[in-house]
Amino acid sequence: MHERSDDNHDRTNGRGGVDRRFDVVVYGATSFVGQLVVDHLLDRHGTGGNDAEGGGLRWAVAARNPQKLDALLTERGVELPTIVANADDRDALDTMVADTSVVISTVGPYALYGSKLVAAVAAAGTDYCDLTGEPHWVQAMMDAHQEQALETGARIVPSCGFDSIPSDLGVWFTQQEAHRRLGRYCDRIGMRVKGSSGGVSGGTVASGMNVMEELANDPSLRKVLGNPYALAPEGQRRGVRQPNVLAPTVDELSGSWVAPFIMGPVNSKVVHRTHALLGRPWGDEFRYDEAMMTGSGPLGLVKAATVAAGMAGMAGASAIGPIRRQLQERVLPKPGTGPDEATREAGFFNIRFYGRTEDGRTITTKVTGDRDPGYGSTAKMLGETALAFLDPEAANDSHNLPSAGFLTPAIAFGDALIERLVAHAGLTFTVLDET
Ligand SMILES: NC(=O)c1ccc[n+]([C@@H]2O[C@H](COP(=O)([O-])OP(=O)(O)OC[C@H]3O[C@@H](n4cnc5c(N)ncnc54)[C@H](OP(=O)(O)O)[C@@H]3O)[C@@H](O)[C@H]2O)c1
């Protein structure tokens, strides 16, 4: 690992009083979404404690390519410490995480490039958050490193972008409000995407295509990807049959036509992990799914059919190796590229949670974001999650929860992360109605 920096702080600010040189390192700072995370941290903290005055956030940018790191800083006209580490180089990763309280990783596909870093943070007791939407990889990491993370105190929180923060914290929020207003938790919640606008990056495409590649090589992964409880602790990976919108349907919860939502199977697993880590207070019958609302009447049906057909077509085409490779090479965005600034700024998301209690009471809540979901909003959510690790007041101390190991955003931070996201990431959480 090559590392350079002009300053040399020796403050004590790591976990459990351990002296760590950096509060936060953005690993993958040269990636499409990593650059946006850097911009968010610059907006929030400038170069922080790295400048002459000191006292602020001590943070660094890290990636495999030193020239790209230099260009990133030159473009922004700022100086920050840089760390060069290849995802394959365990020694370099060990040195990086030993120096750091919280590592943010945007180096994906995570199943290809993320495993050594997770092993390193678990061993070093370093907190970690990422943007993975690859649940089979998260399950493998959990099974390999949970025990060690519990021993060292590392908090490992995967999926801190649009996948899966709005879903995880939206359900958490809805359940807290249901308990407060209706006197009990919902045993059924449906998340419905009412509207969104944005684009897709090459990195996200690469991650999706890599899942298809892995499935082709190892069909047994289908079982993991198809199990809504796949991210629950070992021994708890089963439960009641979950609803799943696979085709255009008139939704019993919203009354709208709905179509499958591509990230539903990923987000649902995170929600069920949260429920399992809470000790299943929402009941053994708790059911959750996600879908896209397309409106009422014939137009709603046509839109739902179009979305469903598009998804089925894409899934079918990308399941076939040669077509998948052609799509990646010729049609879809390349790694390092994604929606431009105007698209990100004009983007948004607006999702609903329809909750039902066993005795027929209802609650509807809304979560919105003020940038495109996948990048503008995602970068702010990820940056704020990293900052939450540094705030001892942000730890979720309700429900006697685990304070180390593989956590979800709701389990690690709960209401404190909601407050942060509302204050600093352009999200809103609102109760629309209750009956
Ligand atoms: N959860 C969500 O909502 C969400 C949203 C957006 C993205 N994502 C995920 O986030 C990840 C990043 O997306 P993106 O669009 O920013 O991707 P990207 O631009 O393609 O970036 C991938 C990064 O990985 C780095 N990398 C590749 N191999 C490496 C290695 N061996 N060692 C070190 N670094 C290596 C690349 O380095 P170079 O810069 O040197 O090429 C690049 O910075 C993807 O997995 C994507 O699926 C998730």
Side-chain angles (χ1 to χ4, degrees), residues 147-170:
E147 224 166 278
Q148 189 171 32
L150 288 174
E151 277 165 24
T152 62
R155 292 174 288 180
I156 299 174
V157 186
S159 309
C160 298
F162 184 61
D163 325 320
S164 302
I165 279 190
S167 302
D168 190 37
L169 287 181

Side-chain angles (χ1 to χ4, degrees), residues 143-399:
D143 292 351
H145 305 297
Q146 168 76 356
E147 224 166 278
Q148 189 171 32
L150 288 174
E151 277 165 24
T152 62
R155 292 174 288 180
I156 299 174
V157 186
S159 309
C160 298
F162 184 61
D163 325 320
S164 302
I165 279 190
S167 302
D168 190 37
L169 287 181
V171 171
W172 166 267
F173 173 76
T174 305
Q175 292 290 33
Q176 301 291 106
E177 290 295 329
H179 200 262
R180 205 161 64 78
R181 293 161 185 256
L182 311 178
R184 62 200 307 169
Y185 292 121
C186 299
D187 66 352
R188 168 79 172 108
I189 294 182
M191 181 281 236
R192 303 294 181 250
V193 181
K194 186 159 166 52
S196 75
S197 161
V200 75
S201 75
T204 298
V205 168
S207 295
M209 292 298 172
N210 186 56
V211 173
M212 300 308 283
E213 191 83 35
E214 288 187 80
L215 259 176
N217 295 334
D218 178 4
S220 72
L221 282 182
R222 203 170 293 279
K223 256 182 134 173
V224 179
L225 295 170
N227 177 2
Y229 303 99
L231 295 183
E234 256 182 310
Q236 297 180 44
R237 292 179 182 158
R238 56 175 56 192
V240 290
R241 197 181 171 80
Q242 291 293 321
N244 191 7
V245 173
L246 294 171
T249 319
V250 176
D251 181 28
E252 42 141 13
L253 297 172
S254 62
S256 165
W257 280 97
V258 290
F261 176 51
I262 188 161
M263 294 316 294
V266 172
N267 296 333
S268 302
K269 292 177 183 46
V270 176
V271 167
H272 287 296
R273 176 164 181 81
T274 289
H275 190 212
L277 292 179
L278 286 169
R280 296 187 182 259
W282 310 332
D284 287 340
E285 297 296 314
F286 174 67
R287 290 176 306 130
Y288 178 76
D289 68 349
E290 300 193 343
M292 289 184 69
M293 290 164 79
T294 57
S296 56
L299 193 58
L301 167 60
V302 171
K303 281 191 194 162
T306 309
V307 172
M311 269 179 63
M314 193 64 196
S318 58
I320 301 163
I323 300 183
R324 177 168 63 245
R325 286 183 270 283
Q326 286 291 318
L327 280 172
Q328 248 186 303
E329 272 164 34
R330 292 171 192 271
V331 183
L332 298 166
K334 302 276 170 298
T337 65
D340 61 21
E341 189 175 353
T343 307
R344 297 196 306 268
E345 295 270 326
F348 72 97
F349 64 85
N350 176 357
I351 63 182
R352 300 283 156 93
F353 294 83
Y354 293 91
R356 302 278 180 271
T357 65
E358 202 186 352
D359 57 353
R361 310 280 308 269
T362 72
I363 182 166
T364 308
T365 64
K366 172 168 94 163
V367 178
T368 64
D370 67 349
R371 293 283 185 282
D372 77 298
Y375 305 94
S377 271
T378 282
K380 295 195 281 184
M381 288 187 252
L382 182 60
E384 289 306 317
T385 307
L387 295 173
F389 282 115
L390 298 170
D391 176 3
E393 310 255 299
N396 189 347
D397 52 9
S398 66
H399 295 77

Side-chain angles (χ1 to χ4, degrees), residues 27-34 63-65 68 85-88 106-110 113 131-134 159-164 201-204 207 335-337 373-375 378:
Y27 183 54
T30 56
S31 72
F32 183 74
V33 70
R64 63 176 167 179
N65 182 328
K68 281 181 86 171
N86 197 291
D88 287 342
T106 61
V107 173
Y110 292 87
Y113 308 125
L131 290 180
T132 184
E134 298 148 79
S159 309
C160 298
F162 184 61
D163 325 320
S164 302
S201 75
T204 298
S207 295
T337 65
Y375 305 94
T378 282

Side-chain angles (χ1 to χ4, degrees), residues 41-63:
L41 292 183
L42 283 172
D43 278 353
R44 291 273 280 124
H45 290 279
T47 50
N50 304 305
D51 57 28
E53 297 91 59
L57 185 77
R58 298 171 306 162
W59 65 291
V61 289

